[in-house]
Amino acid sequence: MKNYKLNKKFQFLFPFLFIIGIILIIFGFNDKKVVDLNYTENNSIKYNVYLKENKFFDTPYLPEGRTYIASLIDYIDIFYHYDVLYNRKLTGVFKYKFVAQVRANKKEGSGYYWEKEYDLTKEKTIDIQNNVNVSIDDNVQVKYSTYNEILNNFKKEYGVNTDGELKVIMKISNNSKFEKTKEPVIINSEMNITIPLLEQAIEVAINKETSSNDNILSIKEKSDKPAYIIFKITGFVLMIVSILGFIDVTKTNIIFKRKNKYEIKLDNILTSYDSIIANIKTLPNLSSFKKIEVSTFEELLDVYNEVRMPINYCQEDKKSSFIIINDSIVWIYELKKDTMKWVDSNEKERKK
């Protein structure tokens, strides 16, 4: 019976251990740390517009910020300056290239009909070793008439009412490892210059888009602290132990209950109603009393609540008797044993 009661306690304990195991596993897999990468880009673009041979302009090119006649433009020489400063040392590879993007825009409303990118250069690579600053200065020459003709052909082919633009973009990709990070971090940047197409004269200044901002990139990485591994292992062990333990004690208790119904029922009665039950060694002579037998202990409790007389309990060889005596009436409840007695799974059976 002691083992049975102990197993009952374990039946309640193992689910709590299972929940604790789940919580530990959750903590174990929450092994991410956040590394903040601060960086500042300080970029700029300059350009000169080179002219075809003509009898009006004495200089071979015009500086930026002027109004240009489209038919006189030979090519545009564009100078890109890319500069970035990080708060952590980096080791890795910077890649960049120049592309020309031609776009046929809608004249009314937003959107466009068509766009296409053309590579102006092959991808270039810069290796960085334990540095916090990267600076790139490069230039590209763009034949204006080539892309103006492309868009003119598109307009003639489809007869759409469109104007267009040529965007010359420097695309930069940083694939590097930083201090306190394990995996490479990819940071992409762009700066570009936009030139109108399909115009007789470029009546507006050429637009430049560069970034000179402070940026913060939060990087989530797996932590290498041993505590997280301990949480995972402990959590898995607790879950397995609690599952196997719960199955074992539940199975043991089911078997025990099947074989020891009498002992379990008697123990529940004596434990639950100890304050109103009086133990007696032998039953008194009941021959002069009017006997009323009840079929359940609960019915005997109803009698107790009415007469408020103690319940007398006597343990006999094959049964347990509970009686209430009031005046000339005695109420009797008998709990009978099975013909075979099993006390615990580790004890030998004995016949009565």
Side-chain angles (χ1 to χ4, degrees):
M1 185 61 71
K2 289 182 179 179
N3 286 351
Y4 172 75
K5 291 182 179 180
L6 184 62
N7 286 346
K8 290 289 287 185
K9 293 178 181 179
F10 277 121
Q11 275 187 298
F12 289 101
L13 176 62
F14 283 131
F16 286 109
L17 291 178
F18 184 81
I19 293 171
I20 292 172
I22 292 176
I23 293 172
L24 289 176
I25 290 173
I26 291 172
F27 276 121
F29 280 100
N30 191 24
D31 54 353
K32 297 291 186 291
K33 63 177 181 179
V34 178
V35 179
D36 286 335
L37 175 65
N38 300 320
Y39 63 99
T40 301
E41 289 184 344
N42 185 19
N43 306 324
S44 63
I45 299 176
K46 295 182 179 180
Y47 64 89
N48 291 318
V49 178
Y50 280 79
L51 305 176
K52 297 175 181 178
E53 288 188 10
N54 64 88
K55 59 183 179 181
F56 298 100
F57 291 92
D58 297 328
T59 58
Y61 66 87
L62 297 176
E64 61 181 271
R66 296 280 297 273
T67 299
Y68 313 99
I69 300 172
S71 59
L72 289 180
I73 297 175
D74 185 14
Y75 66 90
I76 303 170
D77 197 5
I78 309 170
F79 300 88
Y80 292 84
H81 173 72
Y82 174 79
D83 188 87
V84 60
L85 179 66
Y86 296 96
N87 68 329
R88 301 181 186 277
K89 289 183 179 180
L90 70 154
T91 298
V93 176
F94 269 74
K95 295 181 180 180
Y96 73 94
K97 68 176 182 177
F98 297 100
V99 299
Q101 182 189 80
V102 179
R103 176 178 289 182
N105 294 322
K106 294 181 179 180
K107 279 197 171 183
E108 296 182 1
S110 59
Y112 58 91
Y113 297 109
W114 168 79
E115 73 171 14
K116 187 174 181 179
E117 281 192 1
Y118 302 87
D119 287 338
L120 295 174
T121 64
K122 293 182 179 180
E123 193 170 61
K124 301 179 182 181
T125 300
I126 301 174
D127 291 323
I128 306 297
Q129 293 291 330
N130 292 323
N131 206 340
V132 296
N133 177 250
V134 178
S135 186
I136 302 174
D137 289 288
D138 206 344
N139 75 299
V140 64
Q141 295 179 352
V142 181
K143 194 75 172 177
Y144 177 79
S145 59
T146 299
Y147 302 101
N148 204 38
E149 185 178 353
I150 290 173
L151 198 58
N152 259 317
N153 291 335
F154 174 83
K155 184 177 180 179
K156 291 176 183 178
E157 179 76 19
Y158 297 103
V160 292
N161 186 20
T162 181
D163 55 19
E165 62 183 22
L166 168 65
K167 187 177 287 188
V168 184
I169 308 168
M170 183 182 187
K171 293 187 173 184
I172 306 146
S173 175
N174 171 14
N175 189 341
S176 304
K177 287 185 178 180
F178 293 84
E179 284 182 328
K180 297 185 179 180
T181 63
K182 295 180 181 179
E183 299 298 326
V185 179
I186 299 176
I187 303 175
N188 297 318
S189 298
E190 284 188 5
M191 49 180 170
N192 64 74
I193 185 171
T194 303
I195 308 162
L197 296 175
L198 303 181
E199 302 287 346
Q200 293 298 318
I202 302 176
E203 298 292 346
V204 294
I206 296 174
N207 295 321
K208 297 184 291 184
E209 295 183 21
T210 60
S211 59
S212 298
N213 302 315
D214 294 329
N215 302 283
I216 299 177
L217 180 64
S218 294
I219 305 163
K220 283 188 177 181
E221 283 208 327
K222 204 168 187 178
S223 176
D224 55 0
K225 289 183 179 179
Y228 294 107
I229 299 175
I230 295 172
F231 285 149
K232 293 176 185 177
I233 295 174
T234 306
F236 278 118
V237 170
L238 281 178
M239 287 181 65
I240 293 171
V241 169
S242 61
I243 291 171
L244 295 178
F246 183 80
I247 293 172
D248 182 62
V249 297
T250 302
K251 183 179 178 181
T252 301
N253 281 357
I254 289 172
I255 295 172
F256 183 87
K257 285 172 71 175
R258 287 175 181 171
K259 296 180 178 181
N260 298 270
K261 292 180 180 180
Y262 168 80
E263 285 79 8
I264 293 171
K265 177 68 174 176
L266 178 60
D267 182 72
N268 287 339
I269 292 173
L270 296 178
T271 302
S272 302
Y273 305 103
D274 179 65
S275 60
I276 62 174
I277 294 177
N279 294 334
I280 58 176
K281 291 184 178 180
T282 58
L283 287 175
N285 187 355
L286 303 175
S287 58
S288 61
F289 292 91
K290 180 183 177 181
K291 296 179 182 179
I292 300 175
E293 293 185 0
V294 296
S295 59
T296 65
F297 186 81
E298 286 72 21
E299 291 178 348
L300 195 65
L301 285 176
D302 293 336
V303 176
Y304 168 80
N305 292 327
E306 288 290 333
V307 301
R308 290 295 174 181
M309 297 298 289
I311 300 175
N312 297 291
Y313 158 65
C314 180
Q315 174 69 59
E316 298 179 88
D317 188 28
K318 293 185 178 181
K319 66 179 180 179
S320 295
S321 298
F322 298 86
I323 64 172
I324 296 176
I325 300 173
N326 185 41
D327 295 331
S328 60
I329 303 174
V330 59
W331 288 268
I332 302 172
Y333 167 68
E334 290 183 342
L335 181 64
K336 296 180 180 180
K337 290 185 179 182
D338 299 327
T339 56
M340 185 78 69
K341 176 172 175 62
W342 294 73
V343 179
D344 248 335
S345 58
N346 61 342
E347 294 183 13
K348 293 181 179 180
E349 63 182 53
R350 53 189 177 89
K351 293 184 178 180
K352 294 296 181 183

